[in-house]
Amino acid sequence: MSDEARLLAEIHAARALMRASEPARDTSRGPGAAELWAHAIREPGEPVDLALVRAIRDDPATARRYRALLAGQAIAHAPLAAAASDGAVASRRVGPFTLGILPADEDAPPLLVLRGSAARPPRVIEAMLGDETVRLALPPPTDGAILVALDPDVPEAARLGEMLRDRSCAVFLL
């Protein structure tokens, strides 16, 4: 399947899921699907629309639409999948990827290890727990694994590690 055809399939699946999850929504008072989509696929380090982030955080309907958009993307394209815990809290399956957290030792912080096979490795990990969202850029894979240090001196990385240990945390690879 060509990249263009895959993108169209992903967009149609996300739109269908959004329509099914909230048939009578009023988008006039919140951001539209295009704005939410642009926010979801932005490159790491790009500017963030603070009004959009505030809307996702403060408006439950906007947050539901944003999560439905991510879930629709996950359904349309398996490598971009919502995580479901597969038993142990420190291990999860996310589409073709396995996320594992190696415990800290005396010399190194805990490590998040993503292993899997996909045509395109994920560039970003986004975790959502309640009203809180943490988003981190991922390095390129080395020997089929992506390693992220969950350094306690880096607040976002430390919080991501805490969130991933919670079974109710939703995880998206983009």
Side-chain angles (χ1 to χ4, degrees):
M1 182 182 282
S2 72
D3 289 338
E4 185 176 324
R6 181 175 290 128
L7 179 61
L8 285 174
E10 293 168 359
I11 290 170
H12 288 300
R15 285 181 180 161
L17 184 64
M18 285 178 62
R19 278 193 294 272
S21 67
E22 204 173 323
R25 70 182 187 275
D26 178 15
T27 58
S28 63
R29 52 174 228 261
E35 293 169 297
L36 292 173
W37 181 248
H39 177 74
I41 63 167
R42 72 188 186 284
E43 289 289 328
E46 280 187 3
V48 176
D49 181 352
L50 295 178
L52 182 64
V53 172
R54 196 173 308 116
I56 292 170
R57 185 189 64 218
D58 296 340
D59 180 25
T62 301
R64 273 193 310 274
R65 287 186 12 242
Y66 180 65
R67 289 184 178 120
L69 181 77
L70 291 178
Q73 177 69 4
I75 290 168
H77 187 54
L80 307 176
S85 177
D86 64 352
V89 175
S91 175
R92 293 176 178 233
R93 292 282 310 159
V94 181
F97 293 94
T98 301
L99 278 72
I101 298 177
L102 299 177
D105 63 17
E106 300 164 358
D107 301 329
L111 283 177
L112 171 64
V113 180
L114 283 88
R115 292 180 193 222
S117 60
R120 183 185 67 84
R123 299 172 298 137
V124 176
I125 184 169
E126 186 166 320
M128 295 178 188
L129 183 60
D131 293 339
E132 186 176 11
T133 301
V134 174
R135 184 179 177 111
L136 285 179
L138 295 172
T142 304
D143 294 328
I146 298 173
L147 300 175
V148 178
L150 301 174
D151 191 345
D153 294 334
V154 179
E156 294 85 11
R159 184 62 188 140
L160 177 67
E162 292 169 15
M163 291 171 71
L164 290 176
R165 289 179 180 93
D166 188 324
R167 290 180 187 268
S168 61
C169 178
V171 181
F172 300 95
L173 296 175
L174 304 169

